[in-house]
Amino acid sequence: MKNEGFRYSDCPMHRSMAILGTKWKPIVIYALRERTARFGQLHASIGSISRKVLTTTLKELEQDEVIFREEFKEIPPRVEYSLTERGKALLPIMYELVKWDKEYCEISEHK
Amino acid sequence: MKNEGFRYSDCPMHRSMAILGTKWKPIVIYALRERTARFGQLHASIGSISRKVLTTTLKELEQDEVIFREEFKEIPPRVEYSLTERGKALLPIMYELVKWDKEYCEISEHK
C-alpha cells in the first residue's frame, strides 16, 4: 500500500491512516496490549495472518515507531515486540473500537 | 481485501477491521462528519482517492450500514451520502485518532 503521499498530508486522518491503514495493524497493536510477544506468539494469537504479512506489518509498525523490536543476544537469539509510547497511546482508541463493535455490530437489532 | 473470515471472528478487533480495515474507510467517514455529501463533493474533499476506489469504498460502507445512500428523484438525479447511527458512533473514535496524530506524530520531538 503506497501511503507515502499520506504522510505529509494536511489532514490528520490521512496521516493517521498512513501509519494504521491496513486491517492488520490495529489487530497487531491490540494483540500487544498487555504483554510483549515473540513472532511465533503473535502469529498464534492473531491466527489468520500469514507469516509474510505479519513480518511486513511488524516491520512497518517498527519503522513508524508504534512498536519496539528488542533483540536478546541469546542462543538461540530471541526477539520480542512491544508497544512504544506512541503505540500505547493508541490503546484507548482500540478499546473504544471494541466498545463500538459490541454496541453496534454484535446485536442484530442494531443492524 | 477479503474480510469475510473476519466478520465472524471471536475477536472484536478482527470484526471491526472487517468493516473499517482499509486506509480509505476512516477517511471517508471523517469526510462525512459534519454534512451529507454527493459523490463529487467527497471526491474533491478527499483529494487523492480515485473515483473507482471511492465507489467501492462507499458501496462497502453502505453494505455495512456505516453510511446511508439517499437517492433524490430529480432531474438530473441526485445522490447524497451521510453517516448512519452506527457510522456517527465512530466519530468520537476518529477525533481521538486525530488527537493522537497531533500529539504523537506531528511534533518531531516525539518521533
Side-chain angles (χ1 to χ4, degrees):
Chain A
M1 193 183 290
K2 285 181 186 157
N3 286 328
E4 284 312 309
F6 274 45
R7 276 176 205 281
Y8 308 106
S9 166
D10 284 340
C11 171
M13 192 54 71
H14 276 63
R15 288 196 303 267
S16 299
M17 286 305 114
I19 295 181
L20 298 172
T22 75
K23 66 177 176 179
W24 291 113
K25 287 180 181 173
I27 290 170
V28 168
I29 294 164
Y30 191 69
L32 286 169
R33 67 194 179 281
E34 283 169 354
R35 57 183 181 103
T36 64
R38 298 168 69 166
F39 185 92
Q41 292 170 320
L42 275 174
H43 189 252
S45 77
I46 295 172
S48 46
I49 193 169
S50 74
R51 296 180 73 88
K52 193 180 159 196
V53 172
L54 180 56
T55 302
T56 312
T57 302
L58 288 170
K59 203 169 282 175
E60 289 179 3
L61 285 173
E62 191 195 347
Q63 279 165 2
D64 285 327
E65 297 173 42
V66 172
I67 65 170
F68 178 67
R69 180 185 188 277
E70 192 169 11
E71 210 171 317
F72 296 89
K73 303 276 177 216
E74 299 171 358
I75 297 168
R78 181 163 58 98
V79 173
E80 289 199 344
Y81 296 93
S82 57
L83 294 177
T84 60
E85 285 310 305
R86 180 188 271 187
K88 283 180 195 159
L90 284 166
L91 286 181
I93 300 171
M94 304 290 154
Y95 296 141
E96 287 304 312
L97 209 50
V98 168
K99 266 201 239 170
W100 171 80
D101 168 76
K102 285 191 188 299
E103 203 168 333
Y104 288 91
C105 305
E106 268 193 347
I107 304 158
S108 59
E109 279 80 1
H110 279 106
K111 278 197 86 176
Chain B
M1 193 183 289
K2 284 181 188 157
N3 285 329
E4 283 312 309
F6 276 44
R7 277 178 203 279
Y8 308 105
S9 166
D10 284 340
C11 172
M13 192 54 72
H14 277 64
R15 288 196 303 266
S16 299
M17 285 307 115
I19 295 181
L20 298 171
T22 75
K23 65 178 177 179
W24 289 115
K25 287 180 180 173
I27 290 170
V28 168
I29 294 164
Y30 191 69
L32 286 170
R33 67 194 179 281
E34 283 170 353
R35 56 183 181 102
T36 65
R38 298 169 69 166
F39 185 92
Q41 292 171 320
L42 275 175
H43 189 252
S45 78
I46 296 172
S48 44
I49 195 169
S50 74
R51 296 181 74 87
K52 193 180 158 195
V53 172
L54 181 56
T55 301
T56 311
T57 302
L58 289 169
K59 203 168 282 176
E60 290 179 0
L61 286 173
E62 191 195 348
Q63 277 163 3
D64 285 326
E65 297 172 42
V66 171
I67 65 169
F68 178 68
R69 180 184 188 278
E70 192 170 12
E71 211 172 317
F72 295 90
K73 305 271 178 222
E74 299 172 356
I75 297 170
R78 181 163 57 98
V79 173
E80 288 199 344
Y81 296 93
S82 58
L83 295 177
T84 60
E85 285 310 304
R86 180 188 270 187
K88 282 180 196 159
L90 284 166
L91 287 180
I93 302 173
M94 304 290 156
Y95 296 141
E96 286 304 312
L97 208 52
V98 168
K99 266 202 237 169
W100 171 80
D101 168 76
K102 286 191 188 300
E103 202 168 333
Y104 288 90
C105 305
E106 266 193 349
I107 303 159
S108 57
E109 279 80 3
H110 278 107
K111 280 199 83 176

